């Protein structure tokens, strides 16, 4: 729970209620805490910014990138490109980007529905976003817990997250798919978000494994590296199978950032977003259909 959500709970508490009781009551009233207005600041607690009196932090919208697939229903969009959903700009590749932070989750789409609307989702891969799901769909999530992990062992709780076998004993992937998302920075220091799932996951895990190996090799040389210390270029490649055509991300480059000033810049960006709690998961656009 974020600080704003906790403050909202306190602001909406009734006399004698605990915070948990308030949260439960609001959920029953279909008033998700995450969507409640933040408590008003006391007068004079925030200094205005010169020439920016009308600008609020909530005005900052981090754009999302998604892959334009043949199934994408967007007039004028070019398949096989990365689309900036805020500006409408299309790119053949994401070149020299830096990933500041990685997150994992899950997403369930309605069967044969290519609108991009989610039926159920999780931001940590363990628990569903219950309040948002109820608010948006009017229905509770598929289960009160997706999976749990203990001692390296993963236990599946929701049937939508389970693997199955067909009549030929072939593995069938869960309907609720694992996701890997990133907060990144483009050339020109523009932040963005992108989330991968489905058939893109093996490629993204390969990317992360490659960076992990490079950090371990650097550690042997007495140097500490992080995810944000690498330039990455992602292209796209057309794949065809029995289900049709689709585009997959392709790793074109993973390069260590050797310029000390650039590394400091991206480290400062990382800490700035951490302080501002800027990675908000609401309305996340998925990158693979």
């Amino acid at each position: 729970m974020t600080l704003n959500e906790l403050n909202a709970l306190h602001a909406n508490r009734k006399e004698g209620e605990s915070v948990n009781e308030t949260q439960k009551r609001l959920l029953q009233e279909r008033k998700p805490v995450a969507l409640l207005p933040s408590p008003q600041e006391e007068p004079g607690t925030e200094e205005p910014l010169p020439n920016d009196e009308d600008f609020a932090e909530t005005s900052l919208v981090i754009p999302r990138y998604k892959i334009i697939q043949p199934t994408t229903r967007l007039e004028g969009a070019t398949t096989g490109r990365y689309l900036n959903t805020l500006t409408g700009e299309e790119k053949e590749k994401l070149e020299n980007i830096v990933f500041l932070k990685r997150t994992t989750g899950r997403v369930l789409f309605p069967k044969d529905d290519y609108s991009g609307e989610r039926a159920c989702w999780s931001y940590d891969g363990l628990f569903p976003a219950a309040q948002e799901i109820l608010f948006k769909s009017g229905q509770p999530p598929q289960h009160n817990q997706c999976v749990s992990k203990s001692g390296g062992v993963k236990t599946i709780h929701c049937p939508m997250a389970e693997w199955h076998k067909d009549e030929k004993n072939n593995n069938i992937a869960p309907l609720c798919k694992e996701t890997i998302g990133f907060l990144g920075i483009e050339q020109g220091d523009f932040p963005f978000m992108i989330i991968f799932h489905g058939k893109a996951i093996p490629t993204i895990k390969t990317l992360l494994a490659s960076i992990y190996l490079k950090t371990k090799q650097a550690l042997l040389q007495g140097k500490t590296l992080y995810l944000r210390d690498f330039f990455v270029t992602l292209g796209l490649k057309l794949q065809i199978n029995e289900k049709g055509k689709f585009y997959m991300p392709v790793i074109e480059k993973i390069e260590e950032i050797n310029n000390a000033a650039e590394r400091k810049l991206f480290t400062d960006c990382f800490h700035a977003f951490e302080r501002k709690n800027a990675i908000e998961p609401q309305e996340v656009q998925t990158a693979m259909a």
Side-chain angles (χ1 to χ4, degrees):
M1 182 179 297
T2 66
L3 180 58
N4 280 342
E5 291 173 351
L6 185 59
N7 289 337
L9 282 175
H10 280 290
N12 286 271
R13 282 176 66 189
K14 292 182 177 180
E15 186 176 354
E17 268 188 341
S18 68
V19 172
N20 287 338
E21 289 170 341
T22 302
Q23 185 179 32
K24 185 176 180 181
R25 174 174 57 80
L26 292 174
L27 184 58
Q28 291 172 342
E29 295 173 1
R30 296 190 177 181
K31 296 178 181 178
V33 178
L35 301 180
L36 288 174
S38 300
Q40 294 296 315
E41 296 284 348
E42 292 295 327
T45 59
E46 183 176 351
E47 295 182 5
L49 297 176
N51 304 319
D52 286 319
E53 289 84 357
D54 296 329
F55 181 83
E57 187 174 322
T58 52
S59 301
L60 177 62
V61 178
I62 299 178
R64 276 72 167 170
Y65 272 109
K66 66 180 296 182
I67 299 172
I68 307 174
Q69 301 287 358
T71 54
T72 301
R73 296 176 181 177
L74 188 62
E75 186 176 353
T78 308
T79 57
R81 300 281 181 90
Y82 289 99
L83 172 69
N84 184 314
T85 59
L86 181 64
T87 66
E89 181 185 7
E90 296 178 1
K91 295 186 175 183
E92 292 184 359
K93 60 182 68 178
L94 299 179
E95 200 163 9
N96 289 327
I97 57 176
V98 174
F99 288 134
L100 301 178
K101 185 172 181 178
R102 172 176 65 101
T103 59
T104 58
R106 304 193 72 90
V107 63
L108 172 68
F109 293 106
K111 187 177 181 181
D112 299 324
D113 184 341
Y114 301 104
S115 66
E117 289 293 324
R118 301 164 293 175
C120 192
W121 60 93
S122 168
Y123 296 131
D124 61 7
L126 302 176
F127 295 93
Q131 296 185 65
E132 289 182 42
I133 294 167
L134 178 59
F135 180 83
K136 192 165 186 178
S137 67
Q139 300 293 327
Q142 299 288 325
H143 199 277
N144 60 9
Q145 186 168 2
C146 309
V147 303
S148 61
K149 298 178 181 179
S150 178
V153 177
K154 182 166 70 173
T155 302
I156 306 296
H157 298 279
C158 179
M160 295 296 176
E162 291 182 344
W163 284 78
H164 298 281
K165 298 280 189 180
D166 62 14
E167 61 278 3
K168 297 182 179 179
N169 205 38
N170 295 317
N171 289 323
I172 301 177
L175 294 175
C176 185
K177 302 182 184 301
E178 177 187 5
T179 66
I180 300 177
F182 297 95
L183 171 67
I185 294 285
E186 287 189 89
Q187 286 181 317
D189 305 329
F190 296 112
F192 69 90
M193 293 182 68
I194 188 167
I195 293 183
F196 300 95
H197 66 83
K199 295 184 182 300
I201 290 293
T203 299
I204 301 307
K205 285 187 174 180
T206 298
L207 167 69
L208 292 172
S210 298
I211 292 177
Y212 178 77
L213 179 60
K214 290 178 183 292
T215 63
K216 288 300 180 184
Q217 291 172 338
L219 198 58
L220 294 175
Q221 301 171 10
K223 184 166 54 174
T224 302
L225 297 177
Y226 301 93
L227 177 63
R228 59 183 179 269
D229 292 323
F230 295 89
F231 282 126
V232 173
T233 296
L234 292 178
L236 289 168
K237 183 178 180 180
L238 178 64
Q239 300 284 322
I240 302 175
N241 63 16
E242 66 279 0
K243 294 184 178 180
K245 299 180 180 179
F246 55 94
Y247 286 87
M248 293 277 291
V250 177
I251 305 167
E252 294 192 2
K253 184 180 77 171
I254 303 173
E255 180 183 278
E256 181 185 339
I257 302 172
N258 292 312
N259 184 292
E262 287 183 317
R263 286 178 58 177
K264 183 180 184 304
L265 171 64
F266 295 127
T267 297
D268 290 344
C269 289
F270 169 80
H271 290 302
F273 280 109
E274 284 288 289
R275 286 197 303 271
K276 292 178 180 295
N277 195 24
I279 307 177
E280 290 295 336
Q282 283 85 354
E283 302 302 325
V284 169
Q285 299 270 353
T286 54
M288 285 290 293

